[in-house]
Amino acid sequence: MALKHEPTAPYHSAQDALRVLETVARHTTGVTDAELARETGLGQERLTTLLRMLRREGYVEQIADGAYVTGDALARLSSAHQREEALRDQLQRTLNRLRDSVGAAVYISRYVDGEVKVTQYADGPGTPAVNEWVDFRQSAHATAVGKSLLGQLDHNGRRDHLSRHKMARLTSRTITSDKLLLSRLEAQPPTVPVLDLQEYAVGTVCAAVPITAGSSVGCLALSLPVEHAHRLRQAADTLNRNAAPVLLSLAI
């Protein structure tokens, strides 16, 4: 399976944040923001934004003299012992923050062994998760998650998936033509969120953005009740702008 690699803005943010983090880690007694700017080559405004995110996620801490040192979250993720559990906990905290900032249930999904898999999500009383009335593995053609993941595969990878999963009509809006779906996936810009406007379930709208890390295909998604559909594009843009911490956690 080949991937279509077209880096998005969150990808570049995660790469820059990783560069800052590596620089902080080299200075075991602390490093100032002026030194970080000089060593990373990043502008002050950009650096300030990245440091704010790294502090919020627990990857760096500021000590008494204002210098930066590595934080507890980095120590936990860098440890081979219980790394999977630490990563899951870190991602869950990030998802909870995203849920609150976009006002929607949010999900992380991966394409694993040729199947769509929602690996984690964050919902709440006012931000209900999607009712999985049809297995997400069988309905990639109808969901924002599925279309985002398929969009990151090459043409043969998409065809292989569709050959194994019948494109059932789930609502009156569901695309059931593989030719139409493939042409839409081909035309989808990687930087624009993929939408599901009641294609999977009547009463629910969704959006997804790619979070491809290395050779792994993934996406970050959100869902809203249809009465909040007017917020979907703005929420999706917010999700996209704030995807960097998820990418960073997966890259460490």
Side-chain angles (χ1 to χ4, degrees):
M1 176 188 70
L3 311 180
K4 296 204 316 176
H5 275 293
E6 295 177 77
T8 57
Y11 173 86
H12 290 303
S13 291
Q15 290 296 101
D16 287 347
L18 204 52
R19 191 154 33 123
V20 173
L21 206 46
E22 287 167 348
T23 306
V24 173
R26 282 201 305 272
H27 293 264
T28 52
T29 58
V31 58
T32 66
D33 51 2
E35 291 169 324
L36 281 170
R38 188 169 62 249
E39 293 188 31
T40 61
L42 294 167
Q44 194 60 53
E45 187 178 346
R46 174 76 164 156
L47 181 61
T48 300
T49 301
L50 292 170
L51 285 169
R52 190 182 304 123
M53 183 265 281
L54 289 168
R55 287 178 68 187
R56 188 181 66 233
E57 298 293 324
Y59 290 126
V60 302
E61 294 171 6
Q62 212 167 4
I63 54 180
D65 63 357
Y68 292 91
V69 294
T70 55
D72 289 342
L74 182 63
R76 286 195 298 270
L77 279 183
S78 301
S79 166
H81 181 59
Q82 294 184 321
R83 185 185 184 279
E84 285 304 311
E85 184 182 344
L87 176 59
R88 188 168 185 83
D89 289 347
Q90 183 72 20
L91 288 172
Q92 194 61 49
R93 284 191 291 272
T94 303
L95 286 178
N96 291 345
R97 275 195 292 271
L98 278 172
R99 173 200 60 205
D100 296 341
S101 65
V102 301
V106 292
Y107 314 76
I108 294 177
S109 183
R110 313 295 289 276
Y111 196 71
V112 182
D113 298 328
E115 300 294 350
V116 171
K117 185 177 181 184
V118 174
T119 53
Q120 280 178 258
Y121 68 94
D123 63 350
T127 52
V130 173
N131 172 34
E132 189 179 351
W133 75 284
V134 176
D135 192 320
F136 289 142
R137 291 173 298 180
Q138 308 297 328
S139 53
H141 65 292
T143 64
V145 158
K147 289 185 286 184
S148 178
L149 295 175
L150 292 179
Q152 295 173 64
L153 307 181
D154 65 8
H155 186 75
N156 290 336
R158 295 169 189 164
R159 280 209 168 277
D160 171 71
H161 184 92
L162 296 177
S163 71
R164 292 182 285 109
H165 297 286
K166 176 177 165 54
M167 293 175 62
R169 184 177 297 282
L170 307 182
T171 76
S172 63
R173 293 172 175 261
T174 308
I175 296 173
T176 56
S177 158
D178 58 348
K179 185 177 180 181
L180 176 57
L181 180 65
L182 288 168
S183 70
R184 289 201 179 172
L185 292 175
E186 193 62 43
Q188 175 74 27
T191 54
V192 177
V194 178
L195 304 181
D196 155 20
L197 304 175
Q198 302 189 87
E199 295 167 56
Y200 173 75
V202 173
T204 302
V205 294
C206 306
V209 295
I211 51 167
T212 303
S215 61
S216 166
V217 169
C219 73
L220 197 55
L222 65 86
S223 65
L224 287 167
V226 71
E227 55 266 29
H228 293 286
H230 61 282
R231 293 204 294 115
L232 182 64
R233 288 184 187 276
Q234 184 179 5
D237 288 340
T238 303
L239 189 74
N240 199 19
R241 284 197 309 274
N242 291 281
V246 176
L247 273 165
L248 182 60
S249 297
L250 295 172
I252 291 173

